[in-house]
Amino acid sequence: MKKQIDWLPILIQCRDNLKRQIAPLLKTLKQPKPSLGIGAGGDPIKLVDLTAENAITETLKEYGLSFTLISEESGIKNYGENPEENYVTVDPIDGTTNLMRGIPFYATSIAVSTKPELTTVHTAMVTDLFHGTTYTAKKGEGAQRDNKKIIPSEKVTLEDAVVGIDLNTYRASEVAPRLTSLIEKTKHIRHLGANALELCYVADGTTDAFIDIRGKLRTTDTAAAWLIINEAGAKITTPKGEPLNAKLDPKEKLTFIAAANQKIHKTILSLIKEA
Ligand code: IPD
Ligand code: CA
């Protein structure tokens, strides 16, 4: 029989090991580093990304776990005797550009699922590596920030909402016009540069919505925050309002509308033009 694993303490251990291992690198960010090639998600790999990923797999191996790693950096890799028992989807550093440039907003995202499929994620952690805040969730048990239950905001109008929109795309001439009506009705638009963490900001009421319809965001960045958002009681759907699902794979991309509550979610959907 498959043994029950208490994943949350293990993910916390991954976080602590990762923080220890990347600490020396954070002091030498400006020094030139050797080129490490392109990661499975399609971006150039930085030493800090690889060090963070190694810290995660090293910790999981120390626990003697069997798992399939789905990572933005080294792609899909099997560990242990029964790797199909657990899928661990990671973005070792979400917001690498922020980290490299000294912008204090970057995170680690880890999601555990029973299949390589978003809707089977049952345990999740997103940790803000600069501020030391950790978001966690277990399916059916709610979401927490630093072990305290979180709930999304109750704001229902765009006039005073804070809405995150990722428009970081060379295809802006195609994507931006779909968002013009929404932008015109929203007073406070943001993009902070680490989407896993920005989704957690919707989960805990720091912001009221986060929108990414570029067709560019990887499932590795989204998997953990998807559970955190759902467990907190916020909403995350496709731009058409359908439930979100995707294959967990570093090459798979997602578009979504995340919002604090049904009402503001509906308003946002009604303002976004179809592709
Ligand atoms: C990036 C961040 C950023 C988003 C990019 C992502 P990465 O993640 O989430 O906010 O605009 O599309 O790739 O590359 O730093 O893991
Ligand atoms: Ca990354």
Side-chain angles (χ1 to χ4, degrees), residues 55 63 107 115 147 194 238:
Y63 279 89
K115 292 193 189 128
N147 299 319
T238 69

Side-chain angles (χ1 to χ4, degrees), residues 176-187:
R178 296 179 57 202
L179 295 162
T180 315
S181 307
L182 172 70
I183 294 171
E184 280 171 353
K185 292 195 166 48
T186 308
K187 194 162 172 204

Side-chain angles (χ1 to χ4, degrees), residues 43 49 72-73 90-96 107 218 220-221:
D43 290 340
D49 295 315
E72 197 169 297
E73 306 309 335
V90 306
D91 184 1
I93 307 285
D94 178 38
T96 303
R218 292 171 281 249
T220 43
D221 302 58

Side-chain angles (χ1 to χ4, degrees), residues 176-205:
R178 296 179 57 202
L179 295 162
T180 315
S181 307
L182 172 70
I183 294 171
E184 280 171 353
K185 292 195 166 48
T186 308
K187 194 162 172 204
H188 308 286
I189 299 285
R190 298 287 184 276
H191 178 228
L192 307 173
N195 292 14
L197 206 47
E198 290 182 83
L199 283 168
C200 291
Y201 273 24
V202 178
D204 77 352

Side-chain angles (χ1 to χ4, degrees), residues 29 94-106 191-194 198:
L29 286 174
D94 178 38
T96 303
T97 303
N98 279 354
L99 182 152
M100 297 303 290
R101 300 294 291 265
I103 300 169
F105 197 79
Y106 47 89
H191 178 228
L192 307 173
E198 290 182 83

Side-chain angles (χ1 to χ4, degrees), residues 21 100 103 107 117 151 160:
Q21 294 208 26
M100 297 303 290
I103 300 169
E117 208 179 297
I151 50 165
D160 56 352

Side-chain angles (χ1 to χ4, degrees), residues 248-267:
L248 294 174
D249 183 290
K251 296 205 162 47
E252 191 77 18
K253 309 287 165 63
L254 273 174
T255 56
F256 58 77
I257 313 293
N261 53 65
Q262 186 92 32
K263 208 154 181 196
I264 199 161
H265 182 261
K266 206 169 153 207
T267 305

